[in-house]
Amino acid sequence: MSAKTMAPSVASAAADEQSETTLSNTLSDTSETGGLPRRWLRAREAAAYLGICYHRLGVLRDQGRGPQYRKFGRMVVYDVRDIDAYMEALPAHGGR
């Protein structure tokens, strides 16, 4: 049965499953990382990693001020290394 003949919710679930399969295949490519798997976080996980609200991360993303991200369909993912690089690039304040 094609996605056109399915009920909308079933078609959406099928599209999400296909997107998940594509993401899994993409993330399992270790050619650029010396054989080590990359560590990707979804937006909610990335926000938790940064210690900020999920919605704040979305605002930063929309303003082009947050860490680099990638999109697989509608899914936004962040590489932990990009998050760490973003944090290191921020100016340090305080201290003596």
Side-chain angles (χ1 to χ4, degrees), residues 23-36:
L23 177 60
S24 294
N25 291 341
T26 302
L27 296 182
S28 64
D29 178 15
T30 59
S31 60
E32 294 182 25
T33 59
L36 298 172

Side-chain angles (χ1 to χ4, degrees), residues 32-46:
E32 294 182 25
T33 59
L36 298 172
R38 291 186 136 200
R39 176 65 180 127
W40 297 91
L41 301 176
R42 292 186 180 197
R44 288 191 188 278
E45 297 167 323

Side-chain angles (χ1 to χ4, degrees), residues 10 16 21 40 43 55-58 61 65 69 72 96:
V10 175
D16 288 345
T21 301
W40 297 91
H55 297 289
R56 177 69 180 140
L57 182 59
R61 183 173 59 244
R65 295 178 31 212
Y69 65 94
F72 295 96
R96 294 181 194 235

Side-chain angles (χ1 to χ4, degrees), residues 6 9-25 42 74-75:
M6 292 182 207
S9 61
V10 175
S12 177
D16 288 345
E17 185 176 323
Q18 183 177 6
S19 178
E20 290 288 333
T21 301
T22 302
L23 177 60
S24 294
N25 291 341
R42 292 186 180 197
R74 295 184 326 209
M75 187 184 333

Side-chain angles (χ1 to χ4, degrees), residues 23 26-27 38-47 50 54 56-86:
L23 177 60
T26 302
L27 296 182
R38 291 186 136 200
R39 176 65 180 127
W40 297 91
L41 301 176
R42 292 186 180 197
R44 288 191 188 278
E45 297 167 323
L50 287 167
Y54 166 74
R56 177 69 180 140
L57 182 59
V59 168
L60 289 172
R61 183 173 59 244
D62 291 343
Q63 294 174 345
R65 295 178 31 212
Q68 290 184 14
Y69 65 94
R70 279 90 173 156
K71 288 190 81 171
F72 295 96
R74 295 184 326 209
M75 187 184 333
V76 176
V77 293
Y78 295 85
D79 187 329
V80 172
R81 294 173 296 185
D82 291 335
I83 297 171
D84 290 340
Y86 168 76

